[in-house]
Amino acid sequence: MISSQLTSISPFVRQVKVTQTENLSGEWVDYDHVLTYIEQGTAEFILDGVKYAVQAGDTLIMIPMVKHIIRSTSSTPLIQYIVHFDLYYTEQRAAWTTLGITNKAQEHVTEEEKALKMIYPISRMNVVQQQELKKKFLWMLRVFQDKNEFSQLRLKSLIIEMVALFLENQSYYRTSQSAKMTKSWDSIQQCIEFIQRNYTDPELKNEYIGHQIGFSSSYLSSLFKEQIGITVHKYLTYVRIEQAKKQLLEGSGSITEIAEKTGFSSIHHFSRIFKKEVSLTPSQFMISHKKQKMVDEL
């Protein structure tokens, strides 16, 4: 039973944050567990090909190395309370402070970290329990930001309480209307992986992507739109922008070089699309993050 497997856990909390996004749509893979509470808005989460409709008040736990696509489905911004954590503390994993996979070692999931692999990923709590979870999260956020020699001890106790609250209230009805297997997921996943490998090519078009997957461009476009909720072109743009943001923060070259390395046909095209998607120019994006880093360090 899951409860008996979790009696020995000694969690390590890596990150605690609140995100607010409009028109969110993207794909992520994390090497650690991600607990997410939906404070506002609605969205579709596709976890390894299964689509879940979530709403304000829902809590999710995504286990390590599960590919997840998130698409906001409401007119109001999607506000998420997010905690990244390991079930067990190790010195090696505690040294990984960045989010997202940056080395091969992070792709290996130990048996201990697989303890939650059989859970249903969504918990729906009543109003009182939602308030309890939010209170624990906000306390956790304060502890994480304050950072002292006892912070991890406090964070450990809080995440254990939050996981317990999640498990006590989760739904085990896998036939629920809110969860269904996404049709043709294998084809969609092939398309996603092909884009991830080839986004640097400025000539990458729907026709070529469809040819590689074995579909016509029109069929692939309609399938992607129907199942993921965005077009193939929109997803390609998302991948390029996310890669550009990463390289801008890493200082991986000039803005012109980064534009070329992320598949944009020109610096002007890159700047226009970046401003449209991020609401900042590439230069403004770098400046804003440098200022935030200085604030965090202080």
Side-chain angles (χ1 to χ4, degrees), residues 262-276:
T262 51
F264 290 93
S265 56
S266 70
I267 180 63
H268 303 294
H269 181 225
F270 171 57
S271 298
R272 181 172 60 81
I273 298 299
F274 194 95
K275 177 68 182 293
K276 178 182 176 183

Side-chain angles (χ1 to χ4, degrees), residues 14 28-32 84 96 98-103 106:
R14 182 168 287 104
W28 292 266
V29 180
D30 295 290
Y31 59 81
D32 50 7
H84 285 256
W96 299 338
T98 57
L99 303 183
I101 298 168
T102 57
N103 64 67
Q106 293 168 335

Side-chain angles (χ1 to χ4, degrees), residues 245-292:
K245 285 161 65 176
K246 179 180 177 182
Q247 293 183 34
L248 286 166
L249 295 179
E250 291 173 347
S252 302
S254 67
I255 293 177
T256 299
E257 290 170 336
I258 290 171
E260 292 175 355
K261 288 190 291 185
T262 51
F264 290 93
S265 56
S266 70
I267 180 63
H268 303 294
H269 181 225
F270 171 57
S271 298
R272 181 172 60 81
I273 298 299
F274 194 95
K275 177 68 182 293
K276 178 182 176 183
E277 297 296 326
V278 185
S279 299
L280 296 169
T281 67
S283 298
Q284 290 170 337
F285 175 78
M286 287 191 294
I287 291 170
S288 69
H289 277 267
K290 284 179 181 178
K291 287 181 179 177
Q292 185 60 51

